[in-house]
Amino acid sequence: MLNPNLRGRPRKASKDDLSARAMKIYGEYGISNISFNEVCRKLDIAKPSIYRTFGDEDGLVAATLENYAAEVIPSMLAIIKNDHDFSVQLEELQDLIMTVTEENREGCLLLQARRQKGNLGDKAKTLLSTIDKKFTASVMVWLEESKKKGQVRKNIRASSGAQLILSQIGFAQYSLSIGFSIKETREVMALSLSSLVH
């Protein structure tokens, strides 16, 4: 007789493990392009287990976005907080944006979530709003500090500059998705972002 402890799949998976695996699934298929049933199937876990772990589908999406933000945003913050000149930081940021875009076929999960915000649950919306506000505030501080150093044009409002930078992340995803090369995408991004440089 088989040992019952060795049969079948494991009954439990950790919250961190599930959200990390869901992040890869959403990155490959897109948050809005895959059903909750299909996500559960790809995670190889029953819906009741997801409900017990995350409360509901909204809880899974929120945990996934939080996990994704914890991977991506510190890299961006490290760039804007380093001691390089503003123009060099912009180039480093573009490199990172291109890398993140290439790694996720459907693009940055945070931007995907922002595009379909009306279809998200309250937990995911609240988390996304918090992430957006914190990151935008950090970019605005960076722009103001760079302006004081004479590296950013004085007539650029920090809030407008932050929105321009954030829009370029979305542009990179869109551009690559419609067949632009990395080189072409970088050229357009550089042209747009050069408007910030003094």
Side-chain angles (χ1 to χ4, degrees), residues 156-195:
I156 301 282
R157 283 191 348 212
S159 57
S160 300
Q163 290 309 310
L164 175 66
I165 290 167
L166 294 173
S167 73
Q168 291 308 296
I169 300 171
F171 165 74
Q173 292 176 9
Y174 173 74
S175 179
L176 294 175
S177 74
I178 61 169
F180 276 41
S181 69
I182 290 174
K183 183 180 178 185
E184 291 170 314
T185 302
R186 280 295 300 267
E187 285 174 1
V188 175
M189 287 175 70
L191 186 62
S192 178
L193 293 172
S194 68
S195 65

Side-chain angles (χ1 to χ4, degrees), residues 15 34 61 78 80 103 130 146 168 178 193:
K15 187 173 185 175
I34 188 166
V61 171
I80 68 176
E103 287 174 355
T130 300
S146 298
Q168 291 308 296
I178 61 169
L193 293 172

